[in-house]
Amino acid sequence: MTENLITEGKFTYAEAGEGQAIVILHGLMGALSNFDETFNHFSENGYKVLIPELPLYSLPLLKTNVKNLAKFLYDFIEFKNLDKVVLLGNSLGGHIGLYFAKHYPEKVKALVLTGSSGLYENSMGDSYPKRGDRNYVAQKARDVFYDPAIATEELIDDVYVVINDRNSLVKTLAIAKSAIRHNMAKDLPNMQQPTCLIWGKQDKVTPPEVAVDFDKLLPDSDLFWIDKCGHAAMMERPKEFNNLLEEWLTSRNI
């Protein structure tokens, strides 16, 4: 999927399929390829699936925040002439989806959140990223998953490169601070979109109690658990994730 990205103007994205549009939003350290199996499954089963590459490291520093990433998403949806999309977000991607749905509710048919920030997250444990310490990076990457083997050496190297570049590290921290500032707790009770919550029972980044709070605060949500699964369910347990989501979309006639 990610070998066939399309670049048009300021947008780089993957797209396949026809039907109801699902726009996938990746996380702060998440590659588009994390959603390969979800992208393939739904694009082959009656949905148009799009994954834009979010400009996490290319916006000016003062604009590197949740608000402007949601504005980028608005521009992308307008550019693609999409209407009433399903937003599917993991981690920071879920947070961007929530912020977008608050400000542009007419554009959102439904939300799908998995390991989403927006209420609370433990993104780097109890400390900031440490430049130059690959062992630290490796441990943090493994902590994202129930099965640490999913954090391959290639994945660890990708994260290591990001936090050892001063520009991308500064912007990573700016986005993390922005996510804390843009807490959605007061907004969630006003968000009427049907919302599917799919959570790993062993998520250490956005622990299970975060999912429970989302479910309590959102007026129209359904919460599903995947056991033996960490922060990135669509990557660690893709078949279960896809089956749960497909059943939910069908039950909601989406």
Side-chain angles (χ1 to χ4, degrees):
M1 176 270 289
T2 48
E3 294 80 20
N4 300 305
L5 294 179
I6 302 161
T7 298
E8 295 180 302
K10 70 176 182 178
F11 304 109
T12 297
Y13 61 98
E15 177 181 350
E18 292 296 333
Q20 167 66 52
I22 299 176
V23 178
I24 294 177
L25 303 169
H26 62 83
L28 184 55
M29 297 287 185
L32 274 63
S33 59
N34 294 0
F35 288 91
D36 271 353
E37 294 202 41
T38 297
F39 180 90
N40 293 334
H41 178 86
F42 286 96
S43 63
E44 293 167 5
N45 287 281
Y47 294 89
K48 179 197 289 283
V49 186
L50 307 99
I51 312 183
E53 200 169 71
L54 298 173
L56 302 179
Y57 307 117
S58 57
L59 291 173
L61 182 58
L62 290 176
K63 293 189 174 182
T64 302
N65 52 42
V66 172
K67 176 182 176 181
N68 280 292
L69 291 168
K71 177 64 169 64
F72 175 88
L73 174 60
Y74 177 88
D75 292 345
F76 177 73
I77 287 172
E78 288 291 289
F79 175 75
K80 293 300 296 179
N81 197 27
L82 302 173
D83 186 47
K84 289 287 186 182
V85 302
V86 175
L87 292 179
L88 190 174
N90 171 244
S91 204
L92 174 71
H95 199 161
I96 294 166
L98 285 164
Y99 191 90
F100 181 92
K102 173 190 172 183
H103 291 279
Y104 311 104
E106 72 285 355
K107 298 280 186 187
V108 182
K109 188 165 189 175
L111 287 164
V112 183
L113 306 176
T114 181
S116 178
S117 60
L119 288 177
Y120 164 79
E121 64 173 324
N122 186 28
S123 58
M124 279 292 171
D126 55 2
S127 57
Y128 287 117
K130 297 178 182 178
R131 294 174 73 188
D133 188 343
R134 191 180 183 282
N135 289 334
Y136 173 89
V137 173
Q139 186 56 53
K140 290 300 173 188
R142 293 182 186 116
D143 282 349
V144 169
F145 306 103
Y146 174 79
D147 178 4
I150 292 177
T152 61
E153 293 303 310
E154 182 182 7
L155 184 151
I156 292 165
D157 286 341
D158 288 345
V159 175
Y160 185 69
V161 167
V162 168
I163 70 165
N164 272 277
D165 176 85
R166 186 180 182 280
N167 175 63
S168 57
L169 175 60
V170 168
K171 291 185 175 181
T172 296
L173 295 176
I175 293 169
K177 290 175 182 176
S178 165
I180 294 168
R181 286 198 307 275
H182 288 100
N183 186 284
M184 304 294 295
K186 292 181 180 177
D187 302 307
L188 297 180
N190 300 316
M191 299 177 69
Q192 301 300 323
Q193 294 90 349
T195 304
C196 178
L197 302 164
I198 303 178
W199 232 262
K201 280 189 176 180
Q202 288 78 28
D203 188 339
K204 296 178 183 176
V205 181
T206 46
E209 56 266 28
V210 177
V212 172
D213 285 347
F214 268 121
D215 195 33
K216 286 178 181 175
L217 290 168
L218 286 160
D220 187 13
S221 60
D222 297 296
L223 173 57
F224 304 96
W225 298 102
I226 298 181
D227 196 14
K228 297 181 181 178
C229 181
H231 184 56
M234 73 292 166
M235 187 178 176
E236 190 162 11
R237 303 295 289 270
K239 287 184 180 178
E240 286 181 61
F241 180 89
N242 293 341
N243 288 340
L244 284 169
L245 178 53
E246 187 169 25
E247 288 173 10
W248 184 82
L249 290 168
T250 301
S251 73
R252 295 299 193 113
N253 297 312
I254 296 171

